[in-house]
Amino acid sequence: MADSGTRTYKAAKRYIYAWGGGKAEGNGNMKDLLGGKGAGLAEMTNAGLPTPPGFTITTEACNDYFAAGKTLPAGLWDDVLAAVRVVERETGKGFGDPKNPLLVSVRSGAKFSMPGMMDTVLNLGLNEATLQGLIASTGNERFGWDAYRRFIAMFGRIVLDVPTRSTKAKDGTLVQHNRFDEALDAAKEKHGKDAKDTDLNVDDLKKLVVAYKKIVKTTIGRDFPDDPNEQLDLAIKAVFASWFGKRANDYRNTQKIAHDLGTAVNVVTMVFGNMGDDSGTGVAFTRDPNTGEKALYGEYLTNAQGEDVVAGVRTAPKIAQLATDMPRVYAEFKKIADKLEKHYKDVQDLEFTIERGRLYMLQTRSAKRTAAAAVKIAVDMVHEKLITVDEALARIEPAQVDQLLRPTFDPAAIRTATRMARGLNASPGAAVGRAVFHADVAAAWAAKKEKVILIREETSPDDFHGMAVAQGILTAKGGATSHAAVVARQIGKPCVAGCSELEISYSSKTVTAGGVTVKEGGWVSLDGTTGEVFVGALPTVEAKYEDQKDLQTLLAMADKVRRLQIWTNADKPEEAAQARAWGAQGIGLCRTEHMFREGPRLEIVRAAILVANVATRAKAKTAARQALTAEEKKAVKTFDAKMAKLEEMQQGDFEGILAAMTGLPVVIRLIDPPLHEFLPNLEDQLVKVTKAGAKATPKDKELLATIKSMHEQNPMLGLRGCRLGLMIPDFVKIQTRAILNAAVAVKKAGKDPRPEIMIPLVGHVNELIATQTLLEAEAAAVVAKGGVKIDYKFGTMIEIPRACWVADDIAKHAQFFSFGTNDLTQMTFGYSRDDAEGGFLLKYVEDKILPYNPFQSLDPVIVQEMDMAVKLGRKTRPDLKVGICGEHGGDPMSIGFCHDIGLNYVSCSPFRVPVARLAAAQAALKGAAERDK
Ligand code: ADP
Ligand code: MG
Ligand code: MG
C-alpha cells in the first residue's frame, strides 16, 4: 500500500498492521502478533489474492489493554484512526461519510483458532445518515435496510450485551430467547409460516430497525450509538474482553491453550454477499475434512451475509453447485483454493464472499479434520510431492492413530436395531450413551461417570463443556460446517448433525423421531460415519487395522524413520498374533500369573498354595537328610501333584505364544504378584466361615488360616517377585521348565522359538544370582533332554530404585533389562499406585502440585534413574538389550524419553502398537532436528 513503512505511530509500540492494494505490512509468519486470521489475511494479500483492505490490531495491544486495567494504551486510538484513513484511501470511501460510507467488520482472531470465541460484528459504521449513502451508492434500498438491521442486532447482542429474555417452561426450566431473533421471527411470520429472511421487504426491515432500537433502549437504557468512531471503539474493546469470556476460557482449558496470548482485532472493509442473486457467502475446505478426499468441500448461500451458512438460516447448497450458478466465480475460487493449499502445504478452511460477481477471500486457515482424513491427506500429499515423509509423520497426532482403531458398531446388531433417524455424518465413529439435552446436564452426568449423548437443536460455543464430555453429539439443525460438526471433528467425538427428523423438546426432555420417543437418560447409539441414530445401546466391534490402507502406508513410513523397536505386552496367543499383525516386533512382557487365574487353574493354584509352605520346608528337610512327618509327606505329595498339573498347563500356554511369535523374542516374566492375590479376600473368607459357624468346612477354615498367615501390611513391598521364587522355588522352577519344554516342542514343530526369561523385582544382585543359578540348572536339563538347540536368555526387570544404582553389577548376570516403570514410579515416589490413583493423585494434578500423573507419563526423575541404569548396565555389557514394559511403553511422551535415553524397544498393549510406531518415529525426527540445531 501507498504509505506502508512511512507511517508514524503515536503509541509507544507498533500495534497496527494494515493490508490492501496487493500489499500487506504483516505476513503469514506473524501469528503470535496478528493472530491466525490477521496473519492469513496479510499472507493472502501478499500472494495477490483478492482481500478487502483492512488492518489488524495486535495481540500485544490486547495484553497491554488488560495490563493497564482495561484502557487502550496511550496513542493506540490515534493509530487506529490513522489506519482507518489508510483504508479510506484504499477504498475511496469515508468512515462515517454519509455520501459514500466505508463500512467494516470487526473480527477477533487469536493465535490458535478458537471457534466462536467472539462473534464477528458486521456492517459497522452504519447510522441513519450513512445508511442513506449506502442505499444511494448501491441503488438498493432493501439491501441497505437489511444491512442496518443486521448491524443493530449483532452489535446489540455482541458489543452492548443486550440480555436474552428468559421464560419458564412448564417443567420449571428456564428457556432463553434472543430478543432480536424473536422480533425477526415475528416479522417473518407475517409472510407465512415458512417465510425466510429474504421474504422481508423494505417496509418490514424499516419496522424491524425501529423495534431493534427499542430493544436496546429498554434493556440497557441507552440509545444505540450512532457515531461510527464510538461504534468502533466499543467493538474493539468488546473483542478484547471476549478473550476472557467464559466460552473462550473453557475452550482454552480443554485445548490446553495458554491464557496469556491475547487476541488480535481485525478491522476489515465490508464486502456484501447480500446484494442480490449475483452475491453470496460461503465456507469451503480444499479437501473433504471427513474423508480426506481431494475435492472442494463446502457450502454457500446466495444473497446472504456473514455466518448465515454456519448458522443454518437457510439450507445451503454444496459448493459444487456454484459451478453451475456462477461458473466464472467458481473457476476463480477453485484456482485460489489450489494456490492456497500449495502455498501452505496443507488443507485450508476458507471463508469467502461474492459481491455482485466479485470474489473476496475473508479467511484461510489450516483445516480441522478427522483422524481418517488427516492420515489420508498426509499420505496423499507425500505422493503429490507437496510435503516430505518427515512432514507427513509430524502432522499426525498419535492420538489420531488411536482414534482410527476405535470400535465401530457391530453390523449384525445394526441390522436388527431400531433406527430412529438419519442425519448428516458430521464426525465419524460409534458413540453410545444416555440422552441428555443440555450441556450442563451432560457435564453433571459425566462427572458421575455416566456416558451421555448430547442432543441439541443445534450447538453453540456455550455448549462446548457438554460436548467435550459427551460420547457423541446429535443435532437437529446445521450442516457439515455447523458449529457442532466443526467442534466434534476437532475434539474427535462422533457427531450426527442436521438430523431434521428429530423433534426435540427441551421442556419435556425428550426426543422423538421415527415413531419412537427417547426420554432423558434413555440409551441412544449414533454412528457419525453413516449419520444413523439408533435407539438403545448397540454393541460395538473393534476397528480393523487390516482395512486401513492409508494408515498402513503412514506407519510403514514411520517404521523407516524410527530407531526404537515396538514390542507388545501379551499373555495369550490371540493377543500375540493380533499385535504382530499390527507391527509388534516381539513380546516384551508375557505375564504368567494371568494364566494362573483361568478356568480350573485357580483351584489348582489355591490347593498348591495351601500346602506350599509346609511342602517347601519338608523338601528342605529331605535335602538335609532329615525324616518327614506323615503330614509333611502328604503335603509334598499334594503340592508336587498340583505343580505338575500347572507345569503341563503352562507349557501349553507357552507353546501357543512362542509359535505365534516364531522368529521374534518373547520375554516371559516369572510369577510376580504376592500369592494372596490368588486366594479369596480375607474379609470375604472371614465372613463365610463366621456365618457358617459350626457348619464351616475344614477346607474353608484351613483356607482362612492360610490367608491370615499370608496377610501383609504392604503387599506391594512384600513377598512377591523374585522374593517369592526364593522362598518357594517350585513355582519358578516349573515355570522355567514349562517355558523350555514349550520351546523344545515348538522348535521340533519346525518353528523358531526365542524365549527370554525375566526375573522380576530384583533389588540386590544376590537375588538375581541366587534365582538365576537355580533356574539355569532347570533350563539346561530340559534343553539337554529335548535334544534341540534353543536360544534362550535370562534377564531381569529393573523396577526397584536400588537396582538402577547397581545396574552395572546386575548386568554381569542379566542378559537383558526391562524397565518396569509402574513399580519404579511407585517406589521412587513412595506412592502406592493402587491407592494413589483413585485418591490424592488426581487432586494433585488438578491442583498443579504435580504437572501430570506420573503413572501415565514418565516423570523426568524416573527417566534419570533409567538413564543411569542404561549407562551402568552397558558399561558392563555394551550390547545389553534394554526395553520398557510398564504402562508407559504406550504413552507417546514417554516413548520420546525412551528414545532419548537409548532404549532398544518399548513394549505396550497390542492396540497401542500402531500409536507407538508413530510416536517412536516422531521421537526420532525430533532427536534428529535437535542434533541439526
Ligand atoms: P469466525 O472467527 O467466527 O470465523 P469471522 O471473523 O471469520 O469469524 O467472520 C465470520 C464471517 O463473517 C465470515 O466468514 C464472513 O462471512 C463474514 N465477514 C467477516 N468480515 C467480513 C467482511 N469484511 N465483509 C463481508 N463479510 C465478512
Ligand atoms: Mg464463526
Ligand atoms: Mg471465520
Side-chain angles (χ1 to χ4, degrees):
M1 63 200 49
D3 41 6
S4 164
T6 59
R7 275 202 347 264
T8 54
Y9 303 93
K10 288 268 171 62
K13 289 181 196 163
R14 175 164 187 186
Y15 286 121
I16 293 192
Y17 290 78
W19 70 86
K23 265 201 211 121
E25 295 171 350
N27 63 57
N29 297 326
M30 294 170 71
K31 278 193 184 170
D32 285 336
L33 204 56
L34 304 183
K37 203 177 284 167
L41 281 162
E43 188 81 1
M44 285 197 289
T45 308
N46 284 331
L49 303 185
T51 53
F55 59 91
T56 302
I57 306 171
T58 64
T59 55
E60 207 173 15
C62 174
N63 290 331
D64 291 351
Y65 169 80
F66 283 112
K70 299 196 188 173
T71 32
L72 293 183
L76 175 57
W77 180 245
D78 292 319
D79 292 343
V80 167
L81 292 179
V84 170
R85 299 288 95 78
V86 173
V87 176
E88 285 177 335
R89 276 198 294 279
E90 213 51 74
T91 57
K93 297 178 179 175
F95 193 54
D97 178 355
K99 284 200 206 78
N100 186 17
L102 167 69
L103 303 187
V104 295
S105 64
V106 178
R107 320 164 65 186
S108 62
K111 175 176 179 185
F112 301 104
S113 121
M114 297 175 46
M117 176 175 81
M118 197 205 79
D119 300 314
T120 298
V121 181
L122 301 177
N123 309 324
L124 190 137
L126 275 179
N127 53 33
E128 298 284 347
T130 54
L131 170 62
Q132 294 315 318
L134 183 68
I135 291 171
S137 66
T138 58
N140 187 337
E141 194 181 13
R142 188 195 175 279
F143 155 72
W145 283 98
D146 187 51
Y148 195 31
R149 66 96 188 164
R150 284 172 190 266
F151 171 55
I152 299 171
M154 277 182 141
F155 193 92
R157 177 171 61 80
I158 300 162
V159 180
L160 299 177
D161 259 334
V162 167
T164 49
R165 193 175 67 85
S166 52
T167 54
K168 242 191 196 144
K170 272 194 216 108
D171 63 355
T173 48
L174 283 183
V175 187
Q176 307 295 332
H177 309 268
N178 176 325
R179 293 167 200 259
F180 299 110
D181 286 352
E182 283 184 323
L184 177 63
D185 287 341
K188 279 197 284 192
E189 245 162 55
K190 290 191 190 127
H191 294 266
K193 194 169 146 280
D194 292 323
K196 301 190 192 69
D197 60 318
T198 39
D199 295 329
L200 299 181
N201 57 34
V202 173
D203 233 29
D204 298 324
L205 293 168
K206 279 184 180 167
K207 283 192 192 128
L208 207 49
V209 163
V210 173
Y212 279 3
K213 285 190 173 174
K214 200 167 147 209
I215 290 173
V216 171
K217 179 80 183 184
T218 51
T219 52
I220 61 167
R222 66 159 290 178
D223 286 320
F224 189 85
D226 276 335
D227 174 8
N229 281 349
E230 187 187 358
Q231 293 171 356
L232 183 58
D233 173 68
L234 290 172
I236 290 169
K237 288 173 182 163
V239 172
F240 285 161
S242 72
W243 177 254
F244 286 116
K246 181 178 177 325
R247 280 165 8 187
N249 262 323
D250 286 355
Y251 186 81
R252 286 194 297 269
N253 283 337
T254 52
Q255 298 295 305
K256 302 206 169 67
I257 295 174
H259 290 287
D260 60 0
L261 299 175
T263 179
V265 182
N266 299 288
V267 179
V268 185
T269 304
M270 279 305 299
V271 287
F272 301 102
N274 52 337
M275 287 182 80
D277 288 342
D278 57 352
S279 305
T281 179
V283 226
F285 296 84
T286 54
R287 301 186 192 211
D288 186 331
N290 283 307
T291 63
E293 195 203 332
K294 196 178 175 188
L296 275 182
Y297 175 94
E299 295 162 329
Y300 77 102
L301 279 176
T302 48
N303 201 9
Q305 196 180 35
E307 309 237 69
D308 290 358
V309 174
V310 180
V313 293
R314 276 178 266 149
T315 319
K318 299 252 170 293
I319 192 83
Q321 176 70 27
L322 191 62
T324 328
D325 292 353
M326 299 183 214
R328 203 186 39 75
V329 175
Y330 179 80
E332 188 187 355
F333 181 68
K334 175 123 188 27
K335 218 160 111 194
I336 289 174
D338 285 347
K339 186 164 176 176
L340 281 170
E341 193 182 90
K342 288 218 174 72
H343 184 77
Y344 283 102
K345 299 179 173 203
D346 199 6
V347 181
Q348 297 296 298
D349 168 353
L350 306 170
E351 294 176 12
F352 63 93
T353 283
I354 303 157
E355 179 181 308
R356 287 182 176 157
R358 240 183 107 180
L359 176 66
Y360 291 93
M361 299 305 297
L362 290 171
Q363 191 169 339
T364 186
R365 63 183 158 202
S366 278
K368 311 269 188 231
R369 64 204 81 172
T370 63
V375 169
K376 177 168 170 51
I377 289 165
V379 168
D380 284 353
M381 286 189 167
V382 170
H383 292 148
E384 291 162 25
K385 300 209 163 42
L386 205 55
I387 58 175
T388 64
V389 165
D390 293 2
E391 283 169 330
L393 290 170
R395 252 179 215 187
I396 308 298
E397 299 272 339
Q400 292 179 308
V401 173
D402 186 37
Q403 208 189 323
L404 287 177
L405 298 169
R406 271 199 238 144
T408 49
F409 287 124
D410 179 356
I414 286 187
R415 274 194 292 279
T416 56
T418 313
R419 196 172 87 186
M420 266 185 103
R422 180 176 218 139
L424 206 75
N425 52 341
S427 176
V432 180
R434 306 176 67 171
V436 295
F437 300 94
H438 197 287
D440 292 342
V441 180
W445 286 33
K448 291 184 292 180
K449 300 256 180 297
E450 288 286 356
K451 292 188 167 166
V452 299
I453 301 282
L454 179 61
I455 304 175
R456 300 284 299 166
E457 281 286 330
E458 59 200 322
T459 64
S460 78
D462 294 326
D463 297 321
F464 186 80
H465 61 296
M467 301 170 77
V469 296
Q471 303 296 311
I473 297 139
L474 174 60
T475 65
K477 289 189 187 150
T481 49
S482 67
H483 178 266
V486 171
V487 172
R489 278 200 291 271
Q490 182 190 350
I491 60 180
K493 304 269 175 181
C495 172
V496 174
C499 197
S500 52
E501 300 158 63
L502 300 183
E503 275 172 43
I504 299 172
S505 163
Y506 291 141
S507 54
S508 64
K509 298 181 193 161
T510 55
V511 58
T512 306
V516 203
T517 296
V518 176
K519 293 204 192 88
E520 182 181 72
W523 288 91
V524 283
S525 301
L526 59 89
D527 190 335
T529 312
T530 62
E532 290 167 305
V533 185
F534 303 97
V535 186
L538 295 195
T540 50
V541 285
E542 297 306 312
K544 276 227 174 79
Y545 173 80
E546 295 71 21
D547 299 342
Q548 305 191 39
K549 290 282 171 281
D550 290 316
L551 180 60
Q552 290 172 27
T553 309
L554 183 88
L555 294 182
M557 291 173 181
D559 292 346
K560 288 209 184 104
V561 169
R562 67 186 161 90
R563 184 190 54 72
L564 272 177
Q565 291 200 358
I566 311 300
W567 295 17
T568 192
N569 300 349
D571 308 334
K572 294 189 187 130
E574 315 86 78
E575 283 173 9
Q578 165 84 284
R580 189 169 188 166
W582 288 5
Q585 296 162 287
I587 289 186
L589 178 63
C590 171
R591 298 178 183 88
T592 51
E593 61 271 10
H594 281 191
M595 305 169 181
F596 281 11
R597 290 207 177 90
E598 262 177 34
R601 299 170 187 204
L602 191 58
E603 277 314 308
I604 302 172
V605 172
R606 281 184 181 171
I609 292 174
L610 284 184
V611 292
N613 283 327
V614 181
T616 306
R617 242 180 288 123
K619 287 186 181 194
K621 273 169 89 177
T622 309
R625 294 170 195 283
Q626 292 169 10
L628 301 187
T629 64
E631 193 209 357
E632 283 170 339
K633 279 187 193 151
K634 195 176 146 219
V636 169
K637 204 170 150 207
T638 321
F639 186 62
D640 283 349
K642 301 288 173 197
M643 284 308 210
K645 259 199 200 144
L646 262 186
E647 181 177 335
E648 191 189 313
M649 289 173 155
Q650 286 242 286
Q651 183 180 328
D653 296 328
F654 296 141
E655 281 178 23
I657 290 207
L658 289 170
M661 296 302 283
T662 178
L664 297 178
V666 177
V667 176
I668 300 167
R669 181 178 69 182
L670 300 176
I671 186 166
D672 181 57
L675 288 183
H676 75 79
E677 283 195 10
F678 301 102
L679 302 179
N681 145 317
L682 173 59
E683 246 167 73
D684 293 349
Q685 190 65 13
L686 193 61
V687 169
K688 188 172 177 193
V689 171
T690 315
K691 263 198 182 156
K695 282 190 213 132
T697 62
K699 202 174 149 209
D700 271 337
K701 284 198 250 175
E702 200 190 336
L703 188 55
L704 178 62
T706 311
I707 299 171
K708 274 188 179 159
S709 74
M710 288 169 67
H711 180 75
E712 292 175 311
Q713 291 300 339
N714 291 310
M716 281 300 109
L717 302 178
L719 187 61
R720 55 176 282 232
C722 65
R723 303 162 198 170
L724 186 60
L726 289 170
M727 293 302 112
I728 311 174
D730 285 82
F731 276 110
V732 286
K733 274 170 132 176
I734 63 140
Q735 290 193 312
T736 305
R737 283 202 300 267
I739 292 167
L740 286 150
N741 273 317
V744 168
V746 170
K747 182 94 183 206
K748 284 185 174 162
K751 296 213 160 117
D752 178 13
R754 306 214 178 152
E756 306 196 355
I757 300 169
M758 182 154 77
I759 299 164
L761 225 65
V762 167
H764 196 288
V765 67
N766 288 344
E767 291 177 305
L768 180 65
I769 294 172
T771 309
Q772 214 168 316
T773 312
L774 183 78
L775 299 182
E776 272 187 345
E778 298 291 329
V782 172
V783 174
K785 193 163 151 239
V788 284
K789 193 176 166 319
I790 302 288
D791 270 330
Y792 64 92
K793 289 193 173 104
F794 278 101
T796 184
M797 290 196 67
I798 302 286
E799 53 187 334
I800 291 186
R802 190 184 190 282
C804 297
W805 291 92
V806 296
D808 44 354
D809 276 346
I810 291 179
K812 283 181 193 148
H813 307 275
Q815 289 171 278
F816 64 88
F817 283 179
S818 177
F819 287 105
T821 45
N822 300 348
D823 268 308
L824 192 57
T825 302
Q826 168 162 274
M827 290 189 231
T828 301
F829 272 92
Y831 295 162
S832 157
R833 179 183 187 200
D834 295 333
D835 304 318
E837 278 202 294
F840 63 88
L841 197 50
L842 297 184
K843 183 89 173 91
Y844 262 29
V845 174
E846 206 177 291
D847 294 349
K848 305 210 161 64
I849 291 172
L850 291 180
Y852 51 84
N853 177 352
F855 290 107
Q856 247 164 34
S857 295
L858 288 171
D859 177 77
V861 170
I862 309 289
V863 178
Q864 273 182 41
E865 286 178 326
M866 294 166 68
D867 188 32
M868 172 176 72
V870 173
K871 291 198 171 109
L872 286 175
R874 291 202 176 132
K875 221 157 127 191
T876 309
R877 202 186 276 264
D879 61 345
L880 183 73
K881 197 168 62 178
V882 188
I884 175 177
C885 63
E887 294 296 317
H888 299 97
D891 168 62
M893 174 170 146
S894 307
I895 291 171
F897 288 135
C898 292
H899 172 91
D900 293 345
I901 61 172
L903 296 202
N904 298 81
Y905 68 86
V906 296
S907 187
C908 54
S909 58
F911 74 93
R912 299 289 299 174
V913 166
V915 178
R917 286 163 70 191
L918 176 65
Q922 291 181 341
L925 290 175
K926 187 170 146 264
E930 267 155 26
R931 272 196 306 282
D932 290 348
K933 254 191 220 153

